[in-house]
Amino acid sequence: MKLIFTLLLLLIVNLIHAQTIISGNVTDVKGEAIPGANIFLENTYDGTTSNEKGGFEFSTNETGMKNLIVKFIGYKEFRRTIELNGKSLTITSVMKEEVNELQAVTITAGSFGASDESRRTIFKPLDIATTAGATADIAGALNTLPGTQKVGESGRLFVRGGDGNEARTFVDGMMVLDAYNSSAPNTPSRGRFLPFMFKGTSFSTGGYSAEYGQALSSALVLDSRDKAERTRTDFGLLSLGGDVAHAHVWDHASAAGKIQYTNIRPYFNLINQEIDWIKPPVAVQASGTFSHDVGEKGIVKVFGNFNRTNFSLYNHDIDDYAKKQSYDLTNDFRYINAAFRNVLSENWLVRGGLSYNYIKNDAVVSLSSVETDRGLHAKTVFEGSISDQFELKTGVEIIKRDYEQVISSTNSPTFSNQYNEVITAAFAEGDIIASNRFVTRVGGRLEHNNLQHQLSIDPRISLAYNAWGNGTFSLAYGKFRQSPKNDYLKLNSSLAPEKADHYIASYQLVENNRTFRAEVYYKRYHNLIKYAPNTLDFTNDGDGYAKGLEFFWRDNRTFKNTDYWISYSYLDTERDYLDFTTAATPTFASAHNFSAVYKYFFTKLKTQFGATYSFSSGRPYNDPNTDRFNEGKTPAYHDLSVNVAYLPVPQLVIYFSATNLLGSKNIFGYEYSENKNDQGNYNSRAIGQPAPRFLFIGIFLTLTKDKSINQLPTL
């Protein structure tokens, strides 16, 4: 018995001496305690949790080398190899915040998008189709957002003091040379692309990615649809023509296309127009997409758009209306791109594409002018994670443009203007994710232009900080450049690109389907085109600035079946460019712009109603009858537009819209005669709307196995 007792006593003593006590603290990188963390030895049952002060202590009978692991939600796992030999151990566990792609703050300065595609889309086709006054035009819907302004005689996007040429459109990342249909002088043009061909849009008013070049003020990125969901056929009977669309789906591919015929002549015969049309516009347009899955996560897409428009009219003399001159224009447009995206590894993907632009304008006034603009764009981009705190995007691209204008007449010799531009670029930008609350993006764009034999570097930097809740503060800075317009480059191909520096600060709060956004910016222009009046001596001596503040509020949660947004922009801008005699506010800029958009669906009536009110303060114009340059001011712009969509059965939509319902007489500026009258003054003529209102009626039918599908999202 004494022997057994002695052996038991020795065993207990050995166990006591072999037992190891492990203690310590769990903190974050700032030294703040982390209570409730799980601390344990790997592949054992020994462990504990940290107390309210982050402290912990437990004992183990394990011996040898073991891994001590500390875990807590939102932080990276802490792991350390320790030796268990019966001696007490004290471990300080410093835990780093785990960066989660879905939770990490995103940079919002200057952009209504975000890095992640699922969060980048701001307008879907349904948003565009149901915005009253937009008439299913992408630019028309975007003109209700802050940073844009109504330029009713153009219809294009004018962003933050920039003209309509400074907003560039990209389809699947590939450049479009001209995204708008041709229009008569002083009449608004529509975008060439139909909303239903895209799954969403990303719109930036400044400070955008180094990936997008040749855009001085804004980048509009359209993402074409991936594989279609179902086979369907759509028919539309319009007050202005008709269309037919079909989508066909296979196991790993789909194809969709739409043909649309527009003839405004019958409508103009019913509604009086201020324009003296000889042949009102007639257009034939076709769009198509093809999508094919590659492997498990890859995709190849082909997108094409083809358009032909023709019209003719009389331009009447300001001094004598009986004197008139005919103007005839035929426009042909072709755009096709092929884009691809594939996953290279768990952390890397590659994407890119090739696009071709063809634009031909055949105009006849007193002379015949044929303009042909061809563009080729190739791009490859690599995106991935170097680590969980550093993401990289880098790529290369080539942009080639060939422009030619041939002018001829029966009484004069034929002459031409042309240029051939090749821009080679490389870009890179990295997201440094310090935490889920703080992200910095640093990058730049390297460009070489063959016309000036010039190599340029444009830096871009932006950051975002989430101080609390879902609110984000963002800052952005960048240099941007764009080649001059064809009107100037064709006459002097050595002109340097125009430049702009963007400085942006913003705050955005997105919570419970509500969005609030406030932003201030400053933009400095350099190298703007300048020339003396009545000369063709072009230089890059122009400059200017634009600064302002903007507010945006959208809410589709507070009120049942209701979606609305409100935007306001203030703009202060001046330029000394073109033939300006002094620095002045350009004629397209208005100081105050306001939009209110409202949409409501009446469930019992199966009807969706929309209304949009837009306001712009008066725009400057130059009156040669005074000594002050650009000191005239047009009346304020007002527009109340409405639309109604009625669904008698799910697959049938009856749609009506009316722009400027109240018939406000909006004036966008004045034209003046070249010579003084008998009283020593220059006669003038107001530039206004072709008609007080524009009315549209359409009937849309969808044929598919699913009888609940209709065309409302794609009108």
Side-chain angles (χ1 to χ4, degrees), residues 138 151 361 365 435 705:
I138 295 174
V151 183
N361 287 308
V365 193
S435 70
K705 292 181 179 179

Side-chain angles (χ1 to χ4, degrees), residues 210-341:
E211 177 182 349
Y212 302 112
Q214 291 299 297
L216 203 58
S217 289
S218 174
L220 171 60
V221 182
L222 306 175
D223 294 321
S224 64
R225 291 186 178 275
D226 295 337
K227 184 173 175 290
E229 297 178 357
R230 57 180 61 85
T231 297
R232 56 184 284 183
T233 302
D234 299 317
F235 297 95
L237 179 61
L238 320 175
S239 56
L240 306 177
D243 59 51
V244 58
H246 180 74
H248 196 86
V249 179
W250 298 275
D251 289 340
H252 299 286
S254 68
K258 183 172 186 174
I259 298 176
Q260 181 171 298
Y261 173 74
T262 304
N263 189 337
I264 310 182
R265 294 171 186 174
Y267 177 84
F268 284 173
N269 289 334
L270 296 174
I271 307 295
N272 290 330
Q273 303 289 310
E274 294 294 329
I275 297 176
D276 187 4
W277 293 103
I278 302 173
K279 294 185 298 182
V282 173
V284 177
Q285 178 170 328
S287 296
T289 62
F290 174 77
S291 174
H292 195 288
D293 295 335
V294 178
E296 294 183 1
K297 298 182 179 179
I299 191 171
V300 174
K301 298 189 292 184
V302 178
F303 173 86
N305 183 280
F306 311 92
N307 180 281
R308 182 181 178 88
T309 303
N310 172 255
F311 62 82
S312 60
L313 53 86
Y314 285 117
N315 285 318
H316 291 264
D317 187 78
I318 296 175
D319 298 321
D320 184 358
Y321 188 82
K323 295 181 180 179
K324 58 186 179 181
Q325 185 179 54
S326 64
Y327 175 76
D328 185 286
L329 177 67
T330 299
N331 172 263
D332 288 296
F333 175 79
R334 311 283 185 267
Y335 178 82
I336 186 168
N337 77 27
F340 67 91
R341 184 179 68 247

Side-chain angles (χ1 to χ4, degrees), residues 540-603:
N540 284 107
D541 295 336
D543 58 17
Y545 74 87
K547 57 184 178 180
L549 59 89
E550 301 163 359
F551 297 99
F552 177 75
W553 168 258
R554 184 172 185 176
D555 177 10
N556 54 18
R557 180 180 178 87
T558 303
F559 306 104
K560 185 179 180 181
N561 298 332
T562 300
D563 180 21
Y564 71 94
W565 64 82
I566 299 171
S567 67
Y568 168 77
S569 303
Y570 169 74
L571 171 66
D572 174 15
T573 181
E574 285 189 354
R575 291 186 176 196
D576 183 7
Y577 81 137
L578 302 183
D579 60 348
F580 278 30
T581 58
T582 185
T585 302
T587 57
F588 55 76
S590 53
H592 304 279
N593 288 271
F594 172 83
S595 290
V597 178
Y598 176 82
K599 305 176 185 183
Y600 182 80
F601 188 77
F602 295 89
T603 307

Side-chain angles (χ1 to χ4, degrees), residues 56-84:
F56 68 90
E57 180 178 305
F58 70 97
S59 61
T60 179
N61 293 321
E62 299 289 335
T63 60
M65 305 301 291
K66 291 290 182 180
N67 290 324
L68 177 70
I69 296 175
V70 183
K71 287 186 175 183
F72 189 70
I73 295 175
Y75 290 83
K76 294 180 182 179
E77 176 184 283
F78 177 88
R79 177 184 290 260
R80 178 176 294 180
T81 302
I82 58 176
E83 183 179 2
L84 304 175

Side-chain angles (χ1 to χ4, degrees), residues 29-30 97-101 103-108 115 388-391 430-442 461-469 471-476 506:
V29 292
K30 297 179 181 179
E97 187 177 16
E98 183 176 32
V99 177
N100 186 304
E101 183 180 352
Q103 296 176 350
V105 64
T106 54
I107 296 167
T108 60
S115 299
D388 55 3
Q389 290 186 294
F390 184 73
E391 296 180 357
D431 285 3
I432 305 169
I433 308 171
S435 70
N436 284 333
R437 293 182 177 272
F438 186 69
V439 177
T440 302
R441 177 177 300 161
V442 180
I461 182 171
S462 52
L463 56 88
Y465 176 68
N466 175 225
W468 61 83
T472 301
F473 292 95
S474 295
L475 298 173
S506 73

